[in-house]
């Protein structure tokens, strides 16, 4: 018998396919979702080297070689793994599949995948050439593997569709916006949506009355100003390159640097690669991971060129975050309930959080050093001092859970509107 009590989330990249499987609670349990399996197919497209790493039901992670010439075979390997981890043909128990789709252009809500939605994702591939085509491959693979199961696209850009024109327009000729859809879109929206809900709960306020500055600081980093539960500004733009410095991305630079380098003979592709893959922590200090530089910046002083470059990279990163913090406090007229720190750096690095908030008492922000140091990995915490007007929250993000929840909601809304017809 088909139970239809599981929810699958898929995040397909160019050579990878990540999945997370959730058990849906009974209606009586509030419909809660709990993760029961997860994994990633790596080196998809290279059948001699591709493999699946996965775990289910609390087991140790296993790694197995599978020939995966494409995303359909990768998802086939996942389905096979899950069918043996759970009893029978697990695909029959799947209620819905949620897909992370990076760029959704004007889409402001997650949507059931139809021919029209598929074509929006295809059109947006022009703006997100590295992300949307593999997202589509994941969708096509899932349409085959989970035939007849509702599929939902959850867009990373959707949460930011509430930005006002003054925030999303570039000061370029207006026709670039009308004719080519060149504007700021913003990303990490699934994370911001989830964190807004979590923060409002923690603050004991309705989302619609909650103002936040959220810092999603990982290998990819961005920030978002949330007013009344809605995004009013964010640091990423047309692509995920704008804004903060990141692991390998430069973030904001003078755009004239690109034309200068082009005039010196670099091709557009080389410039793009340099800004996206060879800049940020990697470009400044030789390694993309903050953990490799934090000791030089926060530990006992060591001399030498490498340590100097590490300190410089960390300082550039901190300065950029503080610049956006200041800007977003202004956008919110100083009416900020909480600063939220999330993702790899935001959740794990107490010294970075301390530096971001240093000297912000004038804006009502005062960190409690002991609480900040004591914030447990993977746990929500308020690390603000008791007399801080603005709370400082450390919140683990969970983009897959957010995608799963949104998928359940879209399917429920679609079936109730179908029933109403
Ligand atoms: P993404 O989802 O964008 O790939 P994550 O949110 O997983 O990135 O963040 C990964 C980054 O977080 C790492 O590259 C590293 O710089 C940083 N990070 C993770 N753990 C720590 C830590 N304990 N201290 C400092 N930085 C950390």
């Amino acid at each position: 018998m088909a139970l239809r009590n599981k929810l699958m989330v898929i995040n397909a990249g160019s050579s990878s396919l990540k999945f997370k499987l959730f058990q849906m609670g009974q209606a009586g349990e509030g419909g809660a979702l709990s993760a029961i399996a997860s994994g990633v197919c790596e080196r998809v497209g290279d059948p001699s080297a591709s493999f699946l790493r996965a775990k289910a039901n609390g087991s140790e992670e296993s790694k197995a070689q599978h020939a995966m010439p494409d995303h359909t075979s990768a998802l086939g390997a996942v389905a096979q793994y899950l069918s043996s981890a759970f009893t029978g043909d697990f695909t029959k128990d799947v209620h819905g599949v949620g897909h992370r789709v990076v760029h959704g252009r004007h889409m402001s809500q997650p949507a059931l995948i139809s021919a029209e939605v598929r074509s929006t994702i295809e059109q947006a591939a022009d703006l997100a050439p590295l992300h949307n085509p593999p997202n589509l491959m994941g969708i096509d693979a899932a349409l085959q593997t989970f035939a007849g199961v509702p599929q939902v696209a959850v867009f990373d850009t959707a949460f930011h569709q509430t930005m006002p024109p003054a925030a999303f327009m570039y000061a370029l000729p207006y026709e670039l916006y009308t004719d080519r859809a060149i504007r700021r879109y913003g990303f990490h929206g699934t994370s911001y949506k989830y964190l807004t809900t979590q923060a409002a709960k923690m603050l004991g306020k309705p989302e619609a009355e909650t103002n936040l500055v959220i810092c999603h600081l990982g290998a990819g980093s961005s920030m978002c100003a949330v007013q009344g539960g809605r995004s009013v500004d964010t640091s990423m733009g047309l692509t995920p390159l704008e804004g903060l410095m990141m692991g390998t991305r430069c973030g904001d630079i003078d755009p004239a640097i690109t034309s200068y380098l082009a005039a010196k003979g670099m091709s557009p592709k080389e410039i793009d690669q340099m800004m996206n893959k060879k800049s940020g922590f990697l470009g400044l200090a030789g390694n993309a991971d903050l953990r490799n530089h934090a000791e030089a910046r926060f530990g006992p002083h060591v001399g030498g060129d490498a340590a100097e470059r590490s300190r410089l990279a960390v300082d550039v990163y901190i300065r950029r975050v503080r610049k956006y913090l200041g800007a977003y406090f202004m956008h919110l007229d100083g009416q900020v309930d909480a600063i939220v720190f999330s993702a790899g750096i935001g959740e794990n690095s107490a010294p970075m959080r301390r530096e971001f908030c240093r000297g912000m008492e004038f804006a009502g922000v005062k960190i409690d050093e002991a609480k900040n140091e004591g914030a447990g990995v993977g746990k929500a915490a308020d690390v603000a001092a008791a007399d801080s007007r603005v709370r400082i929250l450390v919140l683990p993000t969970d983009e897959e859970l957010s995608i799963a929840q949104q998928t359940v909601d879209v399917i429920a809304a679609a079936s109730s509107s179908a029933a109403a017809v």
Side-chain angles (χ1 to χ4, degrees):
M1 191 185 74
L3 297 173
R4 301 276 179 234
N5 62 357
K6 293 183 175 56
L7 208 290
M8 184 74 166
V9 170
I10 293 175
N11 181 356
S14 56
S15 64
S16 69
L17 184 141
K18 284 191 204 146
F19 76 92
K20 203 160 190 178
L21 184 69
F22 293 84
Q23 184 72 40
M24 299 169 68
Q26 306 294 321
E29 295 165 15
L33 292 160
S34 49
I36 50 171
S38 61
V40 56
C41 302
E42 293 190 44
R43 307 190 69 165
V44 177
D46 183 358
S48 59
S50 50
F51 59 91
L52 166 68
R53 279 193 289 120
K55 57 184 178 181
N57 276 330
S59 69
E60 288 285 302
E61 185 175 84
S62 66
K63 184 174 162 181
Q65 204 78 39
H66 285 271
M68 302 174 190
D70 53 30
H71 287 69
T72 304
S73 51
L75 197 54
V78 171
Q80 202 185 331
Y81 169 83
L82 292 172
S83 289
S84 62
F86 302 98
T87 40
D89 179 0
F90 115 98
T91 58
K92 298 222 171 344
D93 292 341
V94 174
H95 170 75
V97 183
H99 295 269
R100 176 181 188 227
V101 178
V102 168
H103 215 304
R105 282 173 73 114
H106 58 277
M107 299 290 289
S108 61
Q109 298 294 334
L112 268 182
I113 291 170
S114 59
E116 198 187 334
V117 169
R118 204 181 178 290
S119 114
T120 302
I121 300 170
E122 256 171 5
Q123 283 168 27
D126 189 30
L127 301 173
L130 300 179
H131 295 104
N132 275 34
N135 294 162
L136 271 174
M137 288 192 257
I139 289 171
D140 291 340
L143 286 170
Q144 282 189 39
T145 307
F146 302 96
V149 174
Q151 315 258 338
V152 173
V154 179
F155 303 102
D156 246 15
T157 45
F159 186 68
H160 303 297
Q161 282 293 306
T162 48
M163 283 194 290
F168 72 65
M169 286 301 291
Y170 291 113
L172 289 165
Y174 197 76
E175 295 69 37
L176 289 187
Y177 169 58
T178 48
D179 300 353
R180 294 179 189 261
I182 291 180
R183 50 157 283 180
R184 309 184 63 252
Y185 290 92
F187 298 86
H188 290 139
T190 307
S191 176
Y192 289 126
K193 183 177 163 67
Y194 177 80
L195 292 168
T196 299
T197 305
Q198 296 304 113
K201 269 192 204 152
M202 216 164 148
L203 296 166
K205 289 187 86 170
E207 254 177 78
E209 291 169 24
T210 302
N211 291 354
L212 305 165
V213 178
I214 310 184
C215 311
H216 176 112
L217 309 177
S221 292
S222 74
M223 289 172 58
C224 181
V226 171
Q227 190 164 45
R230 294 148 63 98
S231 171
V232 291
D233 209 343
T234 192
S235 59
M236 286 177 169
L238 175 76
T239 76
L241 183 58
E242 189 179 341
L244 302 177
M245 168 184 150
M246 310 183 207
T248 64
R249 285 173 249 171
C250 59
D252 296 334
I253 57 167
D254 182 341
I257 295 170
T258 57
S259 39
Y260 174 83
L261 292 174
K264 295 281 174 201
M266 267 177 96
S267 70
K269 196 170 169 199
E270 284 167 339
I271 296 171
D272 196 67
Q273 284 270 325
M274 180 199 72
M275 294 189 298
N276 275 294
K277 304 261 186 233
K278 297 182 183 167
S279 298
F281 278 111
L282 177 66
L284 283 176
N287 188 296
D289 194 320
L290 166 70
R291 281 168 289 197
N292 296 300
H293 311 296
E295 184 61 21
R297 175 63 173 75
F298 301 113
H301 187 87
V302 273
D305 211 33
E308 267 321 314
R309 295 253 299 264
S310 285
R311 282 192 284 273
L312 170 68
V314 175
D315 284 340
V316 173
Y317 187 89
I318 293 169
R319 197 176 178 88
R320 195 73 64 89
V321 170
R322 285 168 60 82
K323 187 165 163 180
Y324 276 91
L325 266 178
Y328 290 173
F329 266 66
M330 284 298 285
H331 288 338
L332 298 172
D333 299 325
Q335 301 302 306
V336 178
D337 296 304
I339 300 174
V340 177
F341 290 112
S342 195
I345 296 171
E347 289 169 37
N348 297 307
S349 180
M352 292 294 270
R353 291 194 298 264
R354 185 190 68 216
E355 292 305 314
F356 298 140
C357 297
R358 184 182 290 285
M360 283 189 71
E361 287 81 1
F362 75 93
V365 178
K366 193 168 155 196
I367 202 160
D368 181 314
E369 299 252 354
K371 280 188 194 158
N372 185 42
E373 289 294 333
V377 172
K379 294 211 182 86
D382 180 351
V383 300
D387 60 345
S388 178
R389 183 169 55 74
V390 177
R391 308 321 301 161
I392 306 171
L393 306 181
V394 181
L395 292 179
T397 192
D398 194 335
E399 289 168 277
E400 290 88 2
L401 177 59
S402 178
I403 292 171
Q405 283 166 341
Q406 294 184 64
T407 301
V408 171
D409 292 348
V410 169
I411 294 172
S415 56
S416 71
S417 68
V421 171

